[in-house]
Amino acid sequence: MESADVEMKESQPVAPAADGPVPSNSTPSASSNVLQLLKEIASLVEIGAYTKEVRRIARAVRLTIVLRRKLTAPSVSAFLNQTLVAGSEAHSRLSSYLPKEDELDMDVDTETSTTQLSTKHTLPELEIYCYLLVLIFLIDQKKYDEAKACSSASIARLKNLNRRTIDVLASRLYFYYSYSYELTNCLAEIRRNLLALHRMATLRRDELGQETLLNLLLRNYLHYNLYDQAEKLRSKAPRFEAHSNQQFCRYLFYLGKIRTIQLEYTDAKESLLQAARKAPVAARGFRIQCNKWAVIVRLLLGEIPERTVFMQKGMKKALEPYFELTNAVRIGDLELFRSVADKFSDTFTSDRTNNLIVRLRHNVIRTGLRNISIAYSRISLADVAKKLRLDSPNPVADAECIVAKAIRDGAIDATIDHAKGWMESKETGDVYSTNDPQSAFDSRIVFCLNMHNDAVKALRFPPNSHKKEKESAEKRRERQQQEEELAKHIAEEDDDDF
């Protein structure tokens, strides 16, 4: 999904530094174009702050994410000089994180901006946006230590600001704050701070911040396999209407992982499939992870995923190990299942699904046993053990226990003759004489109704649209009155004709 998931002024010109040459991929014209785009984004933030229109600031964040690949040290430095007051704490701190580049190409534009912006006072929204811009640039440049320092400084500054127009920028800073520590394997260090930030966002009624921080805390706990703590936090956190589709998708994914570990496979399947369905098409990595976990959960439920799941555009190679695993479970071949698990053990370990695949062994045996019960009306337990390829000291006794458990669980309809040592299958009945078709149609209808309700809830209306509705209602009343008068006139004419 986005990498998130995945968003003024100067008093004196900065003297050019000669510590290093301009990078070969940043020409003066390209840097000037980037700087101009950053100015336009800053104006969006400024207008949104003055008019209290959060949507403008959200649009500025989206434009910044699009522009991030074109950012260079000179363009970011020049933008800071034009946006922040030279000599201020924010300007000094952010400038120290940037590498010293040759800024001769930016001098002319910087000097003109100095005379225009020197009399203004930097808005808090612009200051926080500068923190976000520098932090994104440092992460993209793989300068993770500087990114950690910058993110910590930005969080310390955020704690002193309580403005609803900063909430969108703050949510992005929270994400990159956690991401920078995750890249340096220091997630445990910020857990206490994330909890304090979540409490602060709750007290300030910053619902977008609560969404983001709850997901970051869940990710933090799951990173260290602390599933019980994650579930306790999730169950006690405040619940409200989702404000961000991306954060809601992440929440569903983490909820699906927690439910899977807790053996609640039905709820886990629903959460994981919904997360994969709601995720943006561009968030391919996130959708791949959702599909990997969803495939494992469906196999644990005894379902076989459709082939189209593994053939989605851009996912075929990543889902290949899970496709072979599904094939082994579908056939019920225990030997093939072991070979696939050994072949892709590194992949399963990196995906953290190794423990779940160990649980699948029982499903493979059950599937093979179901195939045997369908194919044979009567078969000896020794042949059952041979066909299941049980590698135990006493395979016949193990086969007898497995068959007995499958009969008790309702997986197969058969009986065991202990004296003669065989399994006798009963005739398969007509499935359409049972309630299974009705249950299948009911589940599909419920799914369609839920999707319709979600679509209705997601409808958006332009601002002040209720005023237009009032005007149209007045016109409607006038039209109805005219129609009534016309109907009376026509009725009177008909009476005259008689």
Side-chain angles (χ1 to χ4, degrees):
M1 217 170 153
E2 78 173 327
S3 65
D5 89 41
V6 80
E7 221 263 287
M8 287 183 185
K9 343 198 278 199
E10 165 205 340
S11 58
Q12 293 179 358
V14 178
D19 294 330
V22 176
S24 58
N25 61 347
S26 62
T27 61
S29 59
S31 299
S32 301
N33 292 336
V34 172
L35 181 60
Q36 184 59 36
L37 291 174
L38 288 175
K39 289 180 186 177
E40 295 174 0
I41 294 173
S43 66
L44 268 179
V45 174
E46 189 173 5
I47 294 172
Y50 282 124
T51 60
K52 295 184 175 6
E53 294 185 46
V54 180
R55 63 183 181 85
R56 292 183 182 272
I57 300 178
R59 182 164 178 257
V61 174
R62 291 195 297 270
L63 292 174
T64 304
I65 299 302
V66 174
L67 188 64
R68 63 186 300 176
R69 295 183 182 275
K70 301 178 182 179
L71 294 177
T72 59
S75 60
V76 175
S77 180
F79 177 73
L80 294 179
N81 294 334
Q82 297 179 20
T83 306
L84 301 175
V85 177
S88 63
E89 182 182 359
H91 181 272
S92 303
R93 179 181 288 117
L94 292 176
S95 298
S96 65
Y97 299 135
L98 296 175
K100 302 300 180 183
E101 301 283 353
D102 188 0
E103 297 174 359
L104 287 173
D105 297 326
M106 297 293 169
D107 284 345
V108 175
D109 194 63
T110 300
E111 290 173 1
T112 57
S113 303
T114 301
T115 58
Q116 296 174 359
L117 300 175
S118 59
T119 58
K120 292 184 180 180
H121 178 71
T122 305
L123 288 170
E125 287 81 3
L126 285 176
E127 181 183 346
I128 296 302
Y129 175 76
C130 290
Y131 273 106
L132 177 62
L133 182 68
V134 173
L135 182 54
I136 291 175
F137 173 75
L138 292 174
I139 291 176
D140 289 344
Q141 297 297 316
K142 299 185 180 347
K143 298 183 179 180
Y144 301 136
D145 293 332
E146 292 86 346
K148 282 174 59 177
C150 180
S151 62
S152 299
S154 65
I155 295 300
R157 181 71 179 102
L158 272 177
K159 290 180 179 179
N160 299 324
L161 298 173
N162 185 13
R163 295 161 68 103
R164 299 285 70 80
T165 49
I166 293 181
D167 290 348
V168 176
L169 298 170
S171 66
R172 302 303 301 170
L173 277 178
Y174 295 147
F175 170 78
Y176 287 112
Y177 172 56
S178 177
Y179 186 52
S180 61
Y181 276 82
E182 182 179 352
L183 290 172
T184 54
N185 297 320
C186 301
L187 266 181
E189 297 179 8
I190 62 170
R191 189 179 303 151
R192 186 184 298 273
N193 203 9
L194 289 177
L195 288 169
L197 289 171
H198 185 269
R199 182 168 57 251
M200 181 184 70
T202 304
L203 294 174
R204 293 178 176 179
R205 300 185 182 276
D206 176 11
E207 295 185 350
L208 181 58
Q210 291 179 61
E211 275 185 328
T212 305
L213 289 165
L214 177 60
N215 285 334
L216 294 176
L217 283 166
L218 292 177
R219 183 180 183 87
N220 197 309
Y221 284 123
L222 297 183
H223 182 78
Y224 295 99
N225 296 323
L226 302 174
Y227 288 90
D228 290 339
Q229 289 90 328
E231 173 58 19
K232 288 178 182 178
L233 172 67
R234 187 207 64 79
S235 61
K236 295 180 180 179
R239 303 298 298 274
F240 43 80
E241 192 73 21
H243 289 264
S244 170
N245 179 65
Q246 298 162 351
Q247 296 300 330
F248 185 52
C249 289
R250 289 193 181 97
Y251 174 78
L252 290 173
F253 176 61
Y254 298 141
L255 178 60
K257 293 178 73 172
I258 294 172
R259 291 286 182 258
T260 303
I261 299 300
Q262 293 178 336
L263 306 181
E264 299 177 12
Y265 298 134
T266 304
D267 294 340
K269 171 192 168 186
E270 183 179 352
S271 298
L272 291 168
L273 291 180
Q274 192 176 2
R277 200 164 46 242
K278 287 180 174 290
V281 178
R284 187 173 61 182
F286 178 80
R287 290 167 57 228
I288 287 174
Q289 288 298 320
C290 290
N291 280 286
K292 286 179 178 179
W293 279 75
V295 166
I296 296 293
V297 169
R298 294 182 68 180
L299 290 176
L300 288 169
L301 281 170
E303 302 177 6
I304 302 298
E306 300 81 5
R307 190 182 184 89
T308 54
V309 173
F310 306 97
M311 300 300 166
Q312 298 180 63
K313 184 177 180 181
M315 299 187 189
K316 185 176 180 180
K317 184 176 180 181
L319 296 178
E320 181 181 356
Y322 295 87
F323 175 71
E324 295 192 20
L325 187 71
T326 302
N327 189 45
V329 176
R330 180 182 61 83
I331 298 173
D333 191 337
L334 196 58
E335 188 64 29
L336 179 60
F337 174 77
R338 291 195 199 99
S339 64
V340 171
D342 294 338
K343 179 181 177 182
F344 298 104
S345 60
D346 294 338
T347 302
F348 297 143
T349 303
S350 63
D351 292 339
R352 299 193 173 191
T353 56
N354 211 10
N355 293 334
L356 301 177
I357 290 170
V358 173
R359 299 182 190 178
L360 279 175
R361 181 179 182 275
H362 178 69
N363 293 65
V364 176
I365 294 174
R366 178 174 291 187
T367 302
L369 187 60
R370 190 183 299 116
N371 294 337
I372 292 171
S373 67
I374 294 173
Y376 297 91
S377 60
R378 185 168 60 187
I379 184 173
S380 66
L381 295 175
D383 290 338
V384 171
K386 184 177 179 181
K387 289 184 177 296
L388 292 178
R389 300 185 183 182
L390 299 178
D391 54 350
S392 58
N394 193 355
V396 177
D398 290 346
E400 186 175 0
C401 294
I402 291 171
V403 171
K405 188 176 187 305
I407 293 173
R408 186 193 67 181
D409 295 342
I412 60 174
D413 191 6
T415 57
I416 299 177
D417 190 334
H418 297 281
K420 297 180 180 180
W422 66 47
M423 178 187 75
E424 187 172 354
S425 302
K426 297 180 180 179
E427 294 183 4
T428 305
D430 184 11
V431 69
Y432 289 100
S433 63
T434 65
N435 293 330
D436 292 345
Q438 180 182 354
S439 301
F441 279 116
D442 182 66
S443 63
R444 295 177 186 178
I445 292 170
V446 170
F447 170 78
C448 293
L449 289 175
N450 290 336
M451 179 174 288
H452 175 266
N453 293 336
D454 292 341
V456 171
K457 291 179 182 178
L459 289 174
R460 294 184 179 181
F461 300 94
N464 298 327
S465 59
H466 60 282
K467 296 181 180 179
K468 296 181 180 179
E469 291 177 1
K470 288 183 178 179
E471 295 175 358
S472 61
E474 293 175 0
K475 292 181 179 179
R476 192 183 306 111
R477 284 194 296 269
E478 293 178 1
R479 179 175 52 80
Q480 291 175 351
Q481 187 177 359
Q482 292 175 359
E483 289 177 354
E484 291 176 358
E485 293 177 355
L486 180 61
K488 290 180 181 179
H489 181 67
I490 294 175
E492 291 174 357
E493 288 182 352
D494 292 339
D495 292 338
D496 294 340
D497 292 337
F498 283 113

